[in-house]
Amino acid sequence: MPILTLPTTPFGDQRPGTSGLRKKVTVFAQKHYLENFVQALFDVLPDATGLTLVLGGDGRYYNRVAVQTILRMAAAKGYARVLVGEGGILSTPAVSAVIRAHKASGGIVLSASHNPGGPDGDFGIKYNIANGGPAPEKVTEAVYARSKVLSTLHTSDSPDVALDVLGDCQVDGMQVSVIDPVAIYAELMGTLFDFSAIRRLFASGFRLRYDAMNAVGGPYAKAILEGTLGAPTGTVVNAVPLEDFGGLHPDPNPVNAEDLIAHMTAADAPDMGAASDGDADRNMVVGRNFVVSPSDSLAVIAAHATLVPGYAQGLAGVARSMPTSTAVDRVAQTLGIPCFETPTGWKFFGNLMDAGRVTLCGEESYGTGSSHVREKDGLWAVLFWLNLVAATGKSVEALVRELWTAHGRCVYSRHDYEAIPTDKADALMAGLRAQLPTLANTTVAGCAIALADDFAYTDPVDGSVSQKQGIRVILTDGSRVVFRLSGTGTEGATLRVYLERHEPDAARHDIEAQTALQPLVALAESLAHIRALTGMAQPTVMT
Ligand code: G1P
Ligand code: ZN
């Protein structure tokens, strides 16, 4: 079939955010919208002769259409080979694993992560580079610049590829290999964890409930937990990826995974609960009647990492996004390893991992991962916890309480104010920025402020600088309030207010987080005037 060159006109709104380009399906479905973005990407990438690309997504609505479109455009770009997951399916961590295993030049992930799916939901696309991680800002900004001046598309009129048949076929001289989406990822997990110990744990009657939230994590969790590790059938629930996630909001936090929380607080609760998000890179871990905060999860994993075979040599260092609690910093200090503080978004961890300076990293937004891939990895985190429970014989709750006893509890919460009109959100942030120079050494709402700034990050590996990564107000006792606007939303703006207070007193470790954080909520309000500016009396989501 001939390669076609078609005229197109630019869209002005194709700037990738925290994690690629995310828009409503209705936006992506406009004529040439997806094509323009892919062409802008291909124009920015070098010549593809002889190169391999990995392609797959979380199976949400529009996934299949997008896969077929991209295959035709990849052929026109001149790729030698595209590896695509069966059915167009690959979880985000699996894309990363496949890129690395096959030494591909990069990959395209089709996902809007934890955002709702379906015809009225969201769709997304992002590019990952040869290390398996999200493209750095210099690439995403170049793609955006190119998208604004694009005038031609290159594609072909080849018929659709049979995505449900494993094996090879050709699209205009390019080899397309439809691969098992799970195999490479599952093999990698087997090299990291003590599968025999986890198998014995399940054989001894340990009960896990893994809620895949009707999203892409299902096939991976079923194959590894119920298949390889012998967990009873039915351990993984909501295991079939659905185009609209069955109406669920596939974001694993106690609000959205309320069914899991109900099971974990019931009289006959399983020993451990877990959930993953739309593209299976996020995770939530729950003990019996005990929710683990993501920041604590990272700290527990770091504290006990050497019990897990893949990490027995010890950790080079750890990293967390700036708003993530300082629990892992405290563990790192005890271990005598470096702890890096990066801006929000996984792309900032890649350089540190490639340079061998960091082994584990995580974010407060239910993301945890390690240098085994260059994405956060939901099922990996759950396997890590299972391995720790098997190795220590301790419950999920006991492991967290041990952390608190050793380091104090970092009481933590994030308050989200969603769908604020963009101009109001911008005004709120501008108002905060204007106060920054005068806040240090003052007392506001009874809180003594030590430092107030707009977080800027200089990458220690390549020296690149990222400015305006969130406003942080740090009190003299180390408590913090952080304000930033989401870079992944698709409706207006979302204000995130992150609250952290350290509680060293063991007698107060069971304090309810929202109660403990009330003084910081009052501080946030008096600094940002959220109610007056947004008209919202309460956050839309508190996690
Ligand atoms: C959110 C999370 C961030 C995460 C990103 C992609 O970004 O806060 O930690 O890396 O999703 O999963 P945000 O919407 O805050 O820009
Ligand atoms: Zn995700």
Side-chain angles (χ1 to χ4, degrees):
M1 304 284 167
I3 299 294
L4 306 174
T5 297
L6 306 174
T8 192
T9 46
F11 295 88
D13 64 346
Q14 298 198 320
R15 179 181 226 147
T18 314
S19 186
L21 184 69
R22 286 196 197 161
K23 300 282 177 195
K24 295 273 171 216
V25 167
T26 46
V27 173
F28 267 104
Q30 295 172 86
K31 189 174 179 208
H32 289 174
Y33 193 89
L34 172 71
E35 287 89 336
N36 269 25
F37 186 76
V38 174
Q39 191 64 56
L41 168 68
F42 285 167
D43 286 355
V44 160
L45 296 177
D47 179 39
T49 311
L51 300 183
T52 296
L53 180 76
V54 177
L55 175 61
D58 62 14
R60 69 178 60 223
Y61 186 82
Y62 210 62
N63 193 70
R64 280 180 176 259
V65 178
V67 165
Q68 300 289 1
T69 301
I70 295 168
L71 285 174
R72 284 188 269 268
M73 293 184 72
K77 166 77 176 163
Y79 278 99
R81 187 180 184 205
V82 175
L83 299 163
V84 59
E86 185 183 7
I89 293 266
L90 278 174
S91 76
T92 294
V95 170
S96 195
V98 174
I99 291 173
R100 294 166 70 81
H102 278 274
K103 301 202 176 347
S105 61
I108 292 178
V109 187
L110 301 171
S111 171
S113 186
H114 50 288
N115 295 11
D120 301 321
D122 291 351
F123 190 75
I125 175 168
K126 73 171 178 180
Y127 181 69
N128 282 19
I129 57 177
N131 73 356
E137 268 179 351
K138 64 175 188 298
V139 176
T140 57
E141 285 299 303
V143 173
Y144 175 49
R146 179 69 194 150
S147 77
K148 290 191 285 189
V149 296
L150 201 68
S151 60
T152 46
L153 299 174
H154 306 289
T155 184
S156 92
D157 55 4
S158 258
D160 282 358
V161 165
L163 291 175
D164 298 306
V165 185
L166 290 176
D168 292 352
C169 63
Q170 298 281 321
V171 173
D172 292 303
M174 177 183 82
Q175 184 184 347
V176 176
S177 303
V178 179
I179 61 167
D180 176 345
V182 177
I184 287 173
Y185 177 84
E187 198 186 318
L188 177 59
M189 293 302 113
T191 66
L192 300 173
F193 298 109
D194 186 348
F195 272 15
S196 312
I198 302 176
R199 224 178 269 125
R200 282 195 300 275
L201 182 72
F202 283 127
S204 73
F206 183 88
R207 285 163 61 218
L208 169 74
R209 183 181 178 89
Y210 187 111
D211 191 337
M213 303 191 86
N214 300 319
V216 79
Y220 295 85
K222 259 204 157 332
I224 296 174
L225 296 169
E226 296 183 11
T228 312
L229 296 172
T233 307
T235 295
V236 185
V237 297
N238 295 322
V240 178
L242 302 177
E243 286 199 331
D244 65 350
F245 307 118
L248 286 184
H249 185 171
D251 192 0
N253 62 45
V255 179
N256 294 323
E258 58 177 347
D259 179 63
L260 177 67
I261 299 295
H263 277 90
M264 296 309 297
T265 47
D268 61 342
D271 299 286
M272 178 172 152
S276 47
D277 75 331
D279 58 337
D281 59 351
R282 294 184 176 201
N283 75 92
M284 176 173 69
V285 169
V286 190
R288 245 190 215 152
N289 205 7
F290 189 89
V291 175
V292 184
S293 92
S295 300
D296 281 348
S297 175
L298 174 63
V300 168
I301 284 175
H304 299 285
T306 52
L307 295 176
V308 171
Y311 305 86
Q313 308 302 315
L315 306 174
V318 292
R320 62 163 173 86
S321 65
M322 182 271 282
T324 303
S325 101
T326 54
V328 75
D329 304 40
R330 298 163 200 274
V331 171
Q333 203 179 9
T334 307
L335 295 175
I337 56 172
C339 177
F340 296 87
E341 184 177 39
T342 59
T344 296
W346 214 259
K347 59 189 170 215
F348 294 100
F349 296 130
N351 274 352
L352 294 168
M353 292 192 165
D354 286 351
R357 296 171 74 164
V358 152
T359 312
L360 294 179
C361 56
E363 295 190 280
E364 51 64 44
S365 53
Y366 296 84
T368 331
S370 91
S371 51
H372 68 288
V373 288
R374 292 294 182 276
E375 289 280 2
K376 54 189 173 244
D377 191 344
L379 183 50
W380 167 90
V382 175
L383 291 167
F384 213 118
W385 272 90
L386 286 168
N387 200 149
L388 292 186
V389 169
T392 60
K394 292 176 184 158
S395 70
V396 169
E397 177 174 350
L399 286 165
V400 177
R401 287 195 181 277
E402 256 182 33
L403 172 83
W404 293 352
T405 304
H407 301 284
R409 177 180 174 195
C410 292
V411 185
Y412 191 86
S413 181
R414 185 176 99 187
H415 292 186
D416 290 341
Y417 297 81
E418 296 172 318
I420 305 172
T422 309
D423 55 339
K424 292 198 167 140
D426 289 343
L428 186 149
M429 293 302 282
L432 280 169
R433 286 202 169 93
Q435 298 172 60
L436 289 177
T438 54
L439 282 180
N441 306 317
T442 64
T443 297
V444 179
C447 298
I449 299 173
L451 182 144
D453 69 359
D454 201 343
F455 182 64
Y457 178 67
T458 304
D459 186 303
V461 180
D462 67 14
S464 58
V465 177
S466 304
Q467 309 271 11
K468 296 194 171 181
Q469 297 298 319
I471 288 171
R472 48 180 192 173
V473 178
I474 304 180
L475 307 188
T476 47
D477 69 355
S479 298
R480 301 190 301 164
V481 181
V482 173
F483 304 85
R484 59 179 283 282
L485 297 183
S486 158
T488 59
T490 57
E491 258 180 65
T494 293
L495 170 69
R496 304 203 193 284
V497 183
Y498 308 82
L499 310 152
E500 175 181 359
R501 210 195 94 196
H502 185 245
E503 179 53 76
D505 181 358
R508 294 169 59 85
H509 283 170
D510 280 320
I511 191 164
E512 204 270 321
Q514 300 306 333
T515 312
L517 296 169
Q518 212 45 53
L520 297 176
V521 172
L523 171 65
E525 182 57 33
S526 52
L527 291 173
H529 310 293
I530 303 169
R531 283 188 194 180
L533 282 170
T534 67
M536 297 164 88
Q538 294 294 331
T540 33
V541 187
M542 288 191 264
T543 52

